[in-house]
Amino acid sequence: MTDAEKARYATKAANDKKRFEDELAAQSEEDAAYNAWMHFVAENWALYKELIPIHFFKALGVVWRNMKDVEKEPYVRKTKPKGPRNAWNVFVSENWSKYERLPPGQVRRALSADWRSMNDAEKEPYVTKAADEKKRFEDALAEFEEELGATRAKVKRARTAYNYFCKERMGGYLRGYLFTMNDMRRRSYM
């Protein structure tokens, strides 16, 4: 491959790397902005700024540790709500204590046997509780997304020049090769 051909792929890779670094930097700034401790320090800087830095952070640390969770709420970033439990998980959490004295593997086996032996009418309370949890989760998720906007997409990593080369040059060949192999398997040539 000539240097001119290589340069084309290298340029694409450099542009993609720049895009990746910009998105990653924006995401890091966004994450840093949500650190509760840093918010607290920034807001209370004026109160303790005359202290030596080590004493400043010690003083703020004492204040932070003595704060109740309710007082810390304005500084804490809301996190995505935890997913709902299914009927099996509700059943396990309610019945785990019956088998606590057994080793963990046997507890799971015993609970599984109990669950399998139950009919649909006996499972109904657990299914109902799971449906209620799912509804609460969906409401909490909608509220979370409304407050913070849509969930942030993961930053897609940058491609290398080799990735661009393979995609452009090898893509058609590989698709044709895979089609041929699958076609041959179907016809039992192999």
Side-chain angles (χ1 to χ4, degrees):
M1 181 181 298
T2 66
D3 289 341
E5 290 174 327
K6 287 181 185 177
R8 192 176 66 162
Y9 298 115
T11 304
K12 285 183 178 181
N15 292 340
D16 200 29
K17 184 177 181 183
K18 171 114 177 67
R19 184 236 5 123
F20 172 72
E21 289 170 350
D22 291 345
E23 286 180 13
L24 199 59
Q27 187 175 13
S28 320
E29 289 171 11
E30 195 175 308
D31 287 345
Y34 284 110
N35 185 329
W37 166 250
M38 294 307 291
H39 272 299
F40 177 73
V41 169
E43 282 189 12
N44 294 290
W45 181 262
L47 299 174
Y48 300 96
K49 68 181 177 183
E50 68 277 350
L51 296 175
I52 300 169
I54 188 77
H55 298 298
F56 165 77
F57 284 109
K58 281 185 179 179
L60 277 180
V62 168
V63 173
W64 179 259
R65 284 188 297 274
N66 290 329
M67 287 173 70
K68 295 179 179 160
D69 288 342
V70 176
E71 296 169 325
K72 290 180 183 180
E73 272 184 26
Y75 305 107
V76 177
R77 177 185 183 178
K78 291 211 174 211
T79 57
K80 188 175 178 181
K82 190 175 175 183
R85 298 180 298 170
N86 59 22
W88 160 253
N89 290 336
V90 173
F91 171 77
V92 168
S93 64
E94 290 183 5
N95 294 293
W96 187 269
S97 59
K98 291 180 186 176
Y99 302 103
E100 266 183 334
R101 65 190 184 289
L102 298 174
Q106 291 179 2
V107 172
R108 276 178 264 144
R109 276 190 222 109
L111 286 168
S112 296
D114 286 353
W115 180 256
R116 282 191 300 267
S117 68
M118 294 169 66
N119 59 30
D120 289 341
E122 293 171 327
K123 291 181 183 179
E124 185 59 35
Y126 305 110
V127 172
T128 305
K129 287 179 186 177
D132 292 343
E133 279 194 28
K134 185 175 182 182
K135 176 78 171 101
R136 272 195 301 276
F137 167 74
E138 289 169 351
D139 293 342
L141 185 63
E143 180 182 323
F144 170 77
E145 288 178 350
E146 185 179 305
E147 284 182 19
L148 294 178
T151 53
R152 187 175 54 199
K154 187 176 180 183
V155 177
K156 188 176 177 184
R157 71 179 175 88
R159 291 182 178 169
T160 64
Y162 180 72
N163 294 138
Y164 281 107
F165 168 76
C166 288
K167 183 179 179 188
E168 187 176 296
R169 293 281 176 95
M170 304 299 281
Y173 168 74
L174 290 176
R175 277 193 295 274
Y177 175 75
L178 292 174
F179 174 75
T180 307
M181 294 300 290
N182 288 334
D183 195 37
M184 290 175 72
R185 281 192 198 105
R186 252 185 261 119
R187 293 188 181 144
S188 300
Y189 291 122
M190 293 181 79

